[in-house]
Amino acid sequence: MYKRAAVLLKCLLLPLLLTGCWSSKEIEDLALYTGLALDVGEPAPVEQDFEAKGAVYSKQNKVMATVQIVPVQAMGLKDASQSNNMPSDPYHNISGTGDSILEIFRQFSLRLDRPIIGHHLKVIVISARLLQHYGIEQLTDFVLRDNDIRPSTMVFISEGSARDTLGNSNPNEVPSLHIAGMLRNRQRTSKVLAPVTLAKLDALTHAHKSFVLQNLVTAGGEVEFSGAGIIKGDDGRWIGALNEEDTECLEWLKSAGDSGVIKIEKDWDSEPLTYEIKDMTSKVTSKADGDRISFEVAVSTKGRLIETWNTDSTPTTHAFAAKIEEIVRKRLEQMMETLMRKLQTEYKVDAAGFGEKLAVQHPAAWRGVKEHWDEVFSGSKVTFKYDVKITDFGSFTEE
């Protein structure tokens, strides 16, 4: 009798031990957004129409936030048998203007049939124009605090309209997911920077370090990575940009990229020549002598002659390889000098991580200069040594 009662009691208690999502919400009842764009607070035409008809609330137009909402099937979260009831467009952009990003998001609830949720946010694009007025720490405060948004979300910059980067001419593609996917091409070119995630951004802003964000440009309904925007560590604002070659050199300098090409526009016969990088490493050594800080950078690269328009020379000898190596070395030197001139003279910021090397190699010296490091870096001496090695000449046929 007691055994039967014990078994019955266990059966009654068992359902209480089963896991469940008592506070869950069906995904079909939510609006997933995968992209967020932040621009200067200029109300979109539809907002102006709403306001003209009395749809107003107390705010200042400091920032315009645009979210890219995707149907459930676009995220691969709904099976094909149910997709007939979903909208045919792969995404929907909605914009709002105000002085609080969270309040703007709440205002979207007055226009949408489902609440937006940021669990699948992939990219955030911030306008450089907006970053001239406000620090990046101010603009990202909400997304860093929001538990719905993952710290792996990637942050980009746009010298044009950030909103435009979340649109494209391909009717079957979600622009924010396309941007995230473009990072796979880092194995092909160092013009694609290592992504700056929200987690990394939080660390950089709290350390007041200057850094760069990958720049996005749009044209003809397409988006392209083009150089990088520089964020000043002191106030977190945009101060200028690096072009695509500068961006490559920055990655090589930080040993963050080992791909890409170095093009020589004119060889000894005024013909184009292209060197394909197979390996690129750099070693930065800091020196501290009182108040004098200096750096020595050893850059080493191996690669192949992958293209030449010179039909008068056949690349088969060591002498020819040495000739190519010297040409490539000079071109690489020119590119690095251009980058360093922009960092030290034009913008006066350390966006290449020299301060991190000093902090590790000479911590006492770093403690004395870290509060005004960008200023110290701009006056520091940086010397380079280059080692270029041609490993092969690709595959070609000699008649």
Side-chain angles (χ1 to χ4, degrees):
M1 187 70 179
Y2 288 110
K3 289 183 179 179
R4 291 180 179 178
V7 171
L8 180 60
L9 181 60
K10 289 179 180 179
C11 291
L12 293 174
L13 292 176
L14 187 61
L16 300 177
L17 301 178
L18 296 177
T19 59
C21 300
W22 61 271
S23 62
S24 67
K25 297 180 180 178
E26 293 296 328
I27 196 168
E28 292 86 354
D29 297 330
L30 300 173
L32 304 177
Y33 67 95
T34 58
L36 169 62
L38 301 177
D39 286 289
V40 171
E42 298 172 348
V46 65
E47 285 188 277
Q48 296 176 18
D49 289 344
F50 280 140
E51 292 175 359
K53 296 176 181 179
V56 295
Y57 66 98
S58 178
K59 64 172 181 173
Q60 297 179 49
N61 290 330
K62 290 186 175 182
V63 59
M64 179 172 70
T66 301
V67 295
Q68 184 156 91
I69 301 170
V70 298
V72 175
Q73 77 271 20
M75 295 294 297
L77 300 174
K78 190 176 180 71
D79 60 52
S81 64
Q82 297 173 303
S83 63
N84 292 332
N85 296 324
M86 300 301 293
S88 58
D89 293 336
Y91 69 91
H92 169 62
N93 291 349
I94 182 171
S95 300
T97 307
D99 48 16
S100 165
I101 295 175
L102 175 60
E103 186 176 31
I104 294 171
F105 282 11
R106 293 296 183 262
Q107 288 296 116
F108 290 156
S109 300
L110 306 181
R111 299 163 59 184
L112 298 171
D113 61 347
R114 293 170 295 159
I116 63 172
I117 192 74
H119 290 314
H120 292 279
L121 179 61
K122 302 297 183 185
V123 300
I124 298 173
V125 186
I126 307 177
S127 161
R129 184 180 163 204
L130 179 64
L131 280 169
Q132 288 179 289
H133 298 286
Y134 307 105
I136 195 168
E137 190 172 5
Q138 295 173 292
L139 297 172
T140 58
D141 183 75
F142 162 69
V143 294
L144 286 168
R145 293 176 184 271
D146 189 0
N147 291 330
D148 288 344
I149 296 175
R150 299 175 182 178
S152 59
T153 301
M154 295 170 288
V155 184
F156 301 90
I157 197 169
S158 174
E159 290 187 49
S161 167
R163 182 186 181 188
D164 288 348
T165 65
L166 297 184
N168 63 26
S169 57
N170 189 335
N172 300 314
E173 190 173 56
V174 179
S176 53
L177 301 183
H178 174 77
I179 292 171
M182 288 165 63
L183 289 166
R184 289 192 289 264
N185 292 317
R186 291 194 69 236
Q187 62 182 331
R188 292 293 187 178
T189 173
S190 294
K191 294 179 181 180
V192 180
L193 292 172
V196 176
T197 63
L198 282 176
K200 185 176 181 180
L201 179 68
D202 190 30
L204 289 168
T205 54
H206 279 83
H208 300 288
K209 291 182 179 179
S210 298
F211 60 96
V212 297
L213 292 174
Q214 184 85 64
N215 184 56
L216 295 172
V217 297
T218 57
E222 296 185 21
V223 64
E224 178 179 314
F225 289 151
S226 181
I230 303 175
I231 307 300
K232 179 74 170 175
D234 292 343
D235 57 11
R237 300 192 181 193
W238 180 86
I239 60 171
L242 300 175
N243 64 28
E244 293 182 17
E245 290 184 349
D246 298 329
T247 303
E248 280 186 302
C249 287
L250 186 66
E251 289 291 272
W252 297 334
L253 186 57
K254 297 189 297 182
S255 288
D258 59 357
S259 58
V261 300
I262 297 177
K263 183 183 68 176
I264 314 300
E265 293 185 358
K266 293 182 180 181
D267 65 4
W268 50 89
D269 288 330
S270 298
E271 295 290 353
L273 180 152
T274 305
Y275 167 85
E276 182 184 15
I277 297 170
K278 307 308 292 183
D279 181 69
M280 176 74 79
T281 59
S282 66
K283 181 180 180 181
V284 179
T285 303
S286 62
K287 293 184 178 181
D289 183 9
D291 295 334
R292 291 183 296 178
I293 306 295
S294 62
F295 297 90
E296 291 182 356
V297 183
V299 180
S300 177
T301 176
K302 296 179 181 179
R304 61 164 64 115
L305 173 64
I306 196 65
E307 184 178 9
T308 176
W309 288 32
N310 192 329
T311 58
D312 295 331
S313 301
T314 304
T316 57
T317 65
H318 292 293
F320 186 88
K323 198 172 183 179
I324 298 296
E325 289 168 356
E326 180 60 18
I327 292 177
V328 174
R329 187 197 67 79
K330 288 182 177 179
R331 176 56 184 154
L332 179 58
E333 182 179 16
Q334 292 173 354
M335 294 169 67
M336 284 292 185
E337 286 178 351
T338 299
L339 170 65
M340 294 308 300
R341 183 169 61 252
K342 290 183 178 181
L343 293 180
Q344 290 190 290
T345 305
E346 185 174 350
Y347 298 121
K348 301 183 187 300
V349 293
D350 174 20
F354 283 93
E356 296 173 9
K357 299 295 184 181
L358 181 64
V360 172
Q361 298 169 7
H362 299 280
W366 169 249
R367 285 192 293 269
V369 299
K370 65 178 182 179
E371 297 301 328
H372 54 287
W373 171 240
D374 280 339
E375 179 183 346
V376 174
F377 169 73
S378 64
S380 299
K381 182 179 180 181
V382 183
T383 57
F384 286 82
K385 293 181 179 179
Y386 301 94
D387 180 24
V388 178
K389 180 67 174 177
I390 297 288
T391 58
D392 62 90
F393 301 104
S395 177
F396 66 96
T397 302
E398 182 180 359
E399 296 182 358

